[in-house]
Amino acid sequence: LKPLRLKRRPRFPSLEPPPSVTPTAMVKYSREAKNGSKSCKAMGVDLRVHYKNTYETARAIKGMSLRVAQQYLDDVCEKKRCVPFRKYTGCIGRTPQAKEFKMSQGRWPVKSAKILLGLLRNAESNAEFKNLDTENLTITHIQVSMAQQGRRRTFRAHGRVNAYMNCPCHVEMLLEEKEESVEKPAEDTKAKKFTKKQLAKRRLKVGGDQ
């Protein structure tokens, strides 16, 4: 008996070349800067950190300058300062560190703080690439959105199974250079013109009944 010889299948059965990879579209941000040449962006997608903690941490640094925000997040990691919880306040403990923000509830979400520090570092390198002044950057926009939840299972008594979900998030931020304030030039005071009626009223006020 002769041994059977199996024919190898061609790598691409059809004569047509494999489909080319199409370039992906640009990522869209929810807000654009007024002056694109004086701003920089950073974004994180499907970050494995809790949405609620990251939302409150991002809300705390909005409006800060880049250096102040970095120092604040470092202090949060070392638990010297807290993140005030303004929206998601259920079962959040009170701390005297929240008095700084005129609040009573606060926490120290270290993982969220480290993620935001990484995004700020990314935005800083983007600013250096565009030759911007990193000492003069301010966080004008930061947004945290819910991402698709990760699904796992946990096993309960009597053979039941419950959902065991996690809540990741998307983060986007926009930093802009502060515009230098220019003093308004003093305007030349022009002589006021009055009508005959206005002049007559002024004479009555000054002279009275005479």
Short mmCIF file of all heavy atoms in Angstrom, two decimals, residues 167-207:
data_model
loop_
_atom_site.label_atom_id
_atom_site.label_comp_id
_atom_site.label_asym_id
_atom_site.label_seq_id
_atom_site.Cartn_x
_atom_site.Cartn_y
_atom_site.Cartn_z
N CYS A 167 -16.21 48.58 36.65
CA CYS A 167 -16.67 49.83 36.05
C CYS A 167 -15.49 50.66 35.58
O CYS A 167 -15.05 51.59 36.28
CB CYS A 167 -17.49 50.63 37.07
SG CYS A 167 -18.92 49.74 37.69
N PRO A 168 -14.92 50.34 34.40
CA PRO A 168 -13.81 51.15 33.88
C PRO A 168 -14.32 52.48 33.31
O PRO A 168 -15.52 52.76 33.32
CB PRO A 168 -13.22 50.27 32.78
CG PRO A 168 -14.35 49.42 32.34
CD PRO A 168 -15.26 49.23 33.53
N CYS A 169 -13.39 53.30 32.83
CA CYS A 169 -13.80 54.63 32.36
C CYS A 169 -12.87 55.13 31.26
O CYS A 169 -11.77 54.62 31.05
CB CYS A 169 -13.79 55.62 33.53
SG CYS A 169 -12.19 55.83 34.29
N HIS A 170 -13.36 56.13 30.52
CA HIS A 170 -12.57 56.88 29.55
C HIS A 170 -12.27 58.25 30.16
O HIS A 170 -13.13 58.84 30.82
CB HIS A 170 -13.33 57.10 28.25
CG HIS A 170 -13.92 55.85 27.66
ND1 HIS A 170 -13.19 54.72 27.42
CD2 HIS A 170 -15.18 55.57 27.26
CE1 HIS A 170 -13.97 53.79 26.90
NE2 HIS A 170 -15.19 54.28 26.80
N VAL A 171 -11.07 58.77 29.92
CA VAL A 171 -10.69 60.10 30.42
C VAL A 171 -10.11 60.90 29.26
O VAL A 171 -9.32 60.37 28.47
CB VAL A 171 -9.65 60.01 31.55
CG1 VAL A 171 -9.32 61.39 32.08
CG2 VAL A 171 -10.14 59.12 32.68
N GLU A 172 -10.54 62.15 29.14
CA GLU A 172 -9.93 63.06 28.18
C GLU A 172 -9.67 64.40 28.86
O GLU A 172 -10.43 64.80 29.75
CB GLU A 172 -10.83 63.25 26.96
CG GLU A 172 -12.15 63.91 27.25
CD GLU A 172 -13.00 64.08 26.00
OE1 GLU A 172 -13.31 63.07 25.36
OE2 GLU A 172 -13.33 65.24 25.68
N MET A 173 -8.59 65.05 28.48
CA MET A 173 -8.26 66.34 29.07
C MET A 173 -7.67 67.28 28.04
O MET A 173 -7.12 66.83 27.02
CB MET A 173 -7.31 66.17 30.26
CG MET A 173 -5.99 65.54 29.95
SD MET A 173 -4.89 65.53 31.38
CE MET A 173 -5.75 64.46 32.50
N LEU A 174 -7.83 68.55 28.31
CA LEU A 174 -7.36 69.61 27.42
C LEU A 174 -6.66 70.66 28.26
O LEU A 174 -7.23 71.17 29.22
CB LEU A 174 -8.56 70.22 26.68
CG LEU A 174 -8.31 71.33 25.68
CD1 LEU A 174 -7.51 70.83 24.50
CD2 LEU A 174 -9.63 71.90 25.21
N LEU A 175 -5.41 70.97 27.92
CA LEU A 175 -4.63 71.97 28.64
C LEU A 175 -4.31 73.12 27.69
O LEU A 175 -3.97 72.89 26.52
CB LEU A 175 -3.33 71.37 29.18
CG LEU A 175 -3.44 70.46 30.40
CD1 LEU A 175 -3.88 69.07 30.00
CD2 LEU A 175 -2.12 70.38 31.14
N GLU A 176 -4.45 74.34 28.19
CA GLU A 176 -4.20 75.52 27.37
C GLU A 176 -3.24 76.47 28.07
O GLU A 176 -3.19 76.52 29.30
CB GLU A 176 -5.52 76.26 27.07
CG GLU A 176 -6.47 75.48 26.19
CD GLU A 176 -7.73 76.28 25.87
OE1 GLU A 176 -7.68 77.13 24.97
OE2 GLU A 176 -8.75 76.06 26.56
N GLU A 177 -2.51 77.22 27.27
CA GLU A 177 -1.62 78.26 27.81
C GLU A 177 -2.45 79.46 28.22
O GLU A 177 -3.40 79.84 27.53
CB GLU A 177 -0.58 78.68 26.78
CG GLU A 177 0.69 77.88 26.82
CD GLU A 177 1.77 78.48 25.95
OE1 GLU A 177 1.51 79.51 25.29
OE2 GLU A 177 2.88 77.93 25.94
N LYS A 178 -2.08 80.08 29.34
CA LYS A 178 -2.78 81.29 29.77
C LYS A 178 -2.43 82.44 28.83
O LYS A 178 -1.27 82.61 28.45
CB LYS A 178 -2.37 81.67 31.19
CG LYS A 178 -3.01 80.83 32.27
CD LYS A 178 -2.60 81.35 33.64
CE LYS A 178 -3.20 80.52 34.75
NZ LYS A 178 -2.75 80.98 36.08
N GLU A 179 -3.44 83.19 28.45
CA GLU A 179 -3.19 84.36 27.61
C GLU A 179 -2.69 85.51 28.46
O GLU A 179 -3.20 85.75 29.56
CB GLU A 179 -4.47 84.77 26.88
CG GLU A 179 -4.95 83.72 25.89
CD GLU A 179 -6.20 84.17 25.16
OE1 GLU A 179 -6.68 85.28 25.47
OE2 GLU A 179 -6.67 83.43 24.29
N GLU A 180 -1.68 86.19 27.95
CA GLU A 180 -1.13 87.32 28.70
C GLU A 180 -2.13 88.47 28.71
O GLU A 180 -2.65 88.86 27.67
CB GLU A 180 0.19 87.78 28.05
CG GLU A 180 1.28 86.73 28.13
CD GLU A 180 2.56 87.21 27.46
OE1 GLU A 180 2.56 88.36 26.98
OE2 GLU A 180 3.52 86.44 27.44
N SER A 181 -2.39 88.98 29.90
CA SER A 181 -3.36 90.06 30.03
C SER A 181 -2.74 91.37 29.53
O SER A 181 -1.62 91.73 29.90
CB SER A 181 -3.79 90.22 31.49
OG SER A 181 -2.67 90.46 32.30
N VAL A 182 -3.46 92.06 28.67
CA VAL A 182 -3.01 93.33 28.11
C VAL A 182 -3.89 94.43 28.67
O VAL A 182 -5.13 94.33 28.64
CB VAL A 182 -3.10 93.31 26.56
CG1 VAL A 182 -2.63 94.63 25.99
CG2 VAL A 182 -2.28 92.16 26.01
N GLU A 183 -3.28 95.48 29.19
CA GLU A 183 -4.05 96.59 29.76
C GLU A 183 -4.74 97.37 28.65
O GLU A 183 -4.17 97.64 27.60
CB GLU A 183 -3.12 97.52 30.54
CG GLU A 183 -2.55 96.87 31.80
CD GLU A 183 -1.71 97.84 32.59
OE1 GLU A 183 -1.60 99.01 32.15
OE2 GLU A 183 -1.16 97.45 33.63
N LYS A 184 -5.97 97.74 28.95
CA LYS A 184 -6.75 98.49 27.98
C LYS A 184 -6.24 99.93 27.92
O LYS A 184 -6.05 100.56 28.97
CB LYS A 184 -8.23 98.47 28.39
CG LYS A 184 -9.16 99.05 27.36
CD LYS A 184 -10.61 98.93 27.82
CE LYS A 184 -11.55 99.52 26.80
NZ LYS A 184 -12.96 99.44 27.25
N PRO A 185 -5.98 100.45 26.72
CA PRO A 185 -5.48 101.83 26.64
C PRO A 185 -6.53 102.83 27.10
O PRO A 185 -7.74 102.62 26.91
CB PRO A 185 -5.16 102.00 25.15
CG PRO A 185 -5.99 100.99 24.46
CD PRO A 185 -6.12 99.84 25.40
N ALA A 186 -6.06 103.90 27.71
CA ALA A 186 -6.98 104.93 28.21
C ALA A 186 -7.63 105.65 27.03
O ALA A 186 -6.94 106.11 26.11
CB ALA A 186 -6.22 105.91 29.09
N GLU A 187 -8.94 105.74 27.05
CA GLU A 187 -9.67 106.39 25.96
C GLU A 187 -9.71 107.90 26.20
O GLU A 187 -9.78 108.38 27.34
CB GLU A 187 -11.09 105.84 25.87
CG GLU A 187 -11.13 104.36 25.50
CD GLU A 187 -12.55 103.85 25.42
OE1 GLU A 187 -13.48 104.65 25.72
OE2 GLU A 187 -12.73 102.67 25.07
N ASP A 188 -9.65 108.64 25.10
CA ASP A 188 -9.75 110.11 25.18
C ASP A 188 -11.17 110.49 25.54
O ASP A 188 -12.13 110.08 24.88
CB ASP A 188 -9.36 110.75 23.85
CG ASP A 188 -7.91 110.46 23.51
OD1 ASP A 188 -7.12 110.30 24.44
OD2 ASP A 188 -7.59 110.38 22.30
N THR A 189 -11.31 111.28 26.60
CA THR A 189 -12.65 111.70 27.04
C THR A 189 -13.15 112.81 26.12
O THR A 189 -12.52 113.86 25.99
CB THR A 189 -12.59 112.21 28.50
OG1 THR A 189 -11.60 113.23 28.58
CG2 THR A 189 -12.25 111.06 29.44
N LYS A 190 -14.24 112.53 25.47
CA LYS A 190 -14.83 113.52 24.57
C LYS A 190 -15.82 114.39 25.34
O LYS A 190 -16.45 113.96 26.29
CB LYS A 190 -15.55 112.81 23.42
CG LYS A 190 -14.61 112.01 22.52
CD LYS A 190 -15.38 111.36 21.40
CE LYS A 190 -14.45 110.55 20.50
NZ LYS A 190 -15.20 109.87 19.43
N ALA A 191 -15.91 115.64 24.89
CA ALA A 191 -16.85 116.57 25.52
C ALA A 191 -18.28 116.13 25.24
O ALA A 191 -18.63 115.83 24.09
CB ALA A 191 -16.61 117.97 25.01
N LYS A 192 -19.08 116.09 26.29
CA LYS A 192 -20.46 115.65 26.12
C LYS A 192 -21.29 116.77 25.48
O LYS A 192 -21.13 117.95 25.82
CB LYS A 192 -21.07 115.27 27.47
CG LYS A 192 -20.45 114.01 28.06
CD LYS A 192 -21.13 113.65 29.36
CE LYS A 192 -20.53 112.39 29.96
NZ LYS A 192 -21.18 112.03 31.22
N LYS A 193 -22.16 116.35 24.58
CA LYS A 193 -23.06 117.31 23.94
C LYS A 193 -24.45 117.14 24.53
O LYS A 193 -24.94 116.03 24.69
CB LYS A 193 -23.10 117.07 22.43
CG LYS A 193 -21.76 117.37 21.74
CD LYS A 193 -21.87 117.15 20.25
CE LYS A 193 -20.55 117.45 19.55
NZ LYS A 193 -20.63 117.21 18.10
N PHE A 194 -25.08 118.28 24.85
CA PHE A 194 -26.42 118.25 25.43
C PHE A 194 -27.39 118.95 24.49
O PHE A 194 -27.03 119.91 23.79
CB PHE A 194 -26.44 118.97 26.79
CG PHE A 194 -25.59 118.29 27.83
CD1 PHE A 194 -24.33 118.80 28.14
CD2 PHE A 194 -26.03 117.16 28.48
CE1 PHE A 194 -23.55 118.18 29.10
CE2 PHE A 194 -25.25 116.54 29.42
CZ PHE A 194 -24.01 117.05 29.74
N THR A 195 -28.64 118.51 24.51
CA THR A 195 -29.70 119.18 23.75
C THR A 195 -30.19 120.40 24.55
O THR A 195 -29.83 120.58 25.73
CB THR A 195 -30.87 118.21 23.50
OG1 THR A 195 -31.39 117.80 24.77
CG2 THR A 195 -30.40 116.99 22.73
N LYS A 196 -30.98 121.24 23.88
CA LYS A 196 -31.52 122.44 24.54
C LYS A 196 -32.38 122.07 25.73
O LYS A 196 -32.36 122.75 26.76
CB LYS A 196 -32.34 123.26 23.54
CG LYS A 196 -31.48 123.95 22.49
CD LYS A 196 -32.35 124.77 21.56
CE LYS A 196 -31.50 125.48 20.50
NZ LYS A 196 -32.35 126.27 19.58
N LYS A 197 -33.14 120.98 25.57
CA LYS A 197 -34.02 120.54 26.66
C LYS A 197 -33.19 120.11 27.88
O LYS A 197 -33.52 120.45 29.03
CB LYS A 197 -34.88 119.38 26.16
CG LYS A 197 -36.10 119.08 27.03
CD LYS A 197 -36.99 118.07 26.34
CE LYS A 197 -38.25 117.84 27.15
NZ LYS A 197 -39.13 116.84 26.52
N GLN A 198 -32.09 119.34 27.63
CA GLN A 198 -31.23 118.88 28.72
C GLN A 198 -30.54 120.06 29.41
O GLN A 198 -30.40 120.09 30.64
CB GLN A 198 -30.19 117.89 28.19
CG GLN A 198 -30.77 116.53 27.84
CD GLN A 198 -29.76 115.64 27.15
OE1 GLN A 198 -28.80 116.14 26.55
NE2 GLN A 198 -29.97 114.34 27.20
N LEU A 199 -30.13 121.05 28.61
CA LEU A 199 -29.49 122.24 29.19
C LEU A 199 -30.46 123.02 30.06
O LEU A 199 -30.09 123.53 31.13
CB LEU A 199 -28.94 123.13 28.07
CG LEU A 199 -27.68 122.61 27.37
CD1 LEU A 199 -27.38 123.45 26.13
CD2 LEU A 199 -26.49 122.63 28.31
N ALA A 200 -31.74 123.12 29.60
CA ALA A 200 -32.75 123.83 30.38
C ALA A 200 -33.00 123.11 31.71
O ALA A 200 -33.14 123.76 32.76
CB ALA A 200 -34.05 123.92 29.58
N LYS A 201 -33.04 121.77 31.71
CA LYS A 201 -33.24 121.01 32.94
C LYS A 201 -32.08 121.23 33.91
O LYS A 201 -32.25 121.36 35.12
CB LYS A 201 -33.37 119.51 32.63
CG LYS A 201 -34.73 119.13 32.08
CD LYS A 201 -34.81 117.62 31.88
CE LYS A 201 -36.18 117.20 31.37
NZ LYS A 201 -36.27 115.75 31.15
N ARG A 202 -30.86 121.27 33.35
CA ARG A 202 -29.70 121.49 34.21
C ARG A 202 -29.74 122.88 34.84
O ARG A 202 -29.37 123.05 36.00
CB ARG A 202 -28.40 121.33 33.39
CG ARG A 202 -28.06 119.87 33.14
CD ARG A 202 -26.84 119.76 32.26
NE ARG A 202 -26.40 118.36 32.22
CZ ARG A 202 -25.51 117.82 33.04
NH1 ARG A 202 -24.93 118.53 33.97
NH2 ARG A 202 -25.17 116.55 32.93
N ARG A 203 -30.17 123.87 34.07
CA ARG A 203 -30.28 125.23 34.63
C ARG A 203 -31.30 125.27 35.76
O ARG A 203 -31.09 125.93 36.77
CB ARG A 203 -30.70 126.21 33.53
CG ARG A 203 -29.55 126.57 32.59
CD ARG A 203 -29.89 127.79 31.75
NE ARG A 203 -29.23 127.72 30.45
CZ ARG A 203 -29.80 127.35 29.32
NH1 ARG A 203 -31.08 126.98 29.31
NH2 ARG A 203 -29.13 127.33 28.20
N LEU A 204 -32.41 124.55 35.60
CA LEU A 204 -33.42 124.51 36.66
C LEU A 204 -32.88 123.87 37.92
O LEU A 204 -33.14 124.34 39.02
CB LEU A 204 -34.65 123.74 36.17
CG LEU A 204 -35.60 124.51 35.24
CD1 LEU A 204 -36.65 123.56 34.67
CD2 LEU A 204 -36.28 125.64 35.99
N LYS A 205 -32.10 122.76 37.76
CA LYS A 205 -31.53 122.11 38.93
C LYS A 205 -30.57 123.00 39.68
O LYS A 205 -30.54 123.05 40.90
CB LYS A 205 -30.80 120.82 38.49
CG LYS A 205 -31.74 119.68 38.15
CD LYS A 205 -30.94 118.46 37.73
CE LYS A 205 -31.88 117.32 37.34
NZ LYS A 205 -31.13 116.16 36.85
N VAL A 206 -29.77 123.76 38.91
CA VAL A 206 -28.78 124.61 39.54
C VAL A 206 -29.43 125.85 40.15
O VAL A 206 -29.22 126.23 41.30
CB VAL A 206 -27.69 125.02 38.52
CG1 VAL A 206 -26.74 126.04 39.14
CG2 VAL A 206 -26.92 123.78 38.09
N GLY A 207 -30.30 126.51 39.36
CA GLY A 207 -30.89 127.78 39.79
C GLY A 207 -32.13 127.65 40.61
O GLY A 207 -32.51 128.59 41.32
#
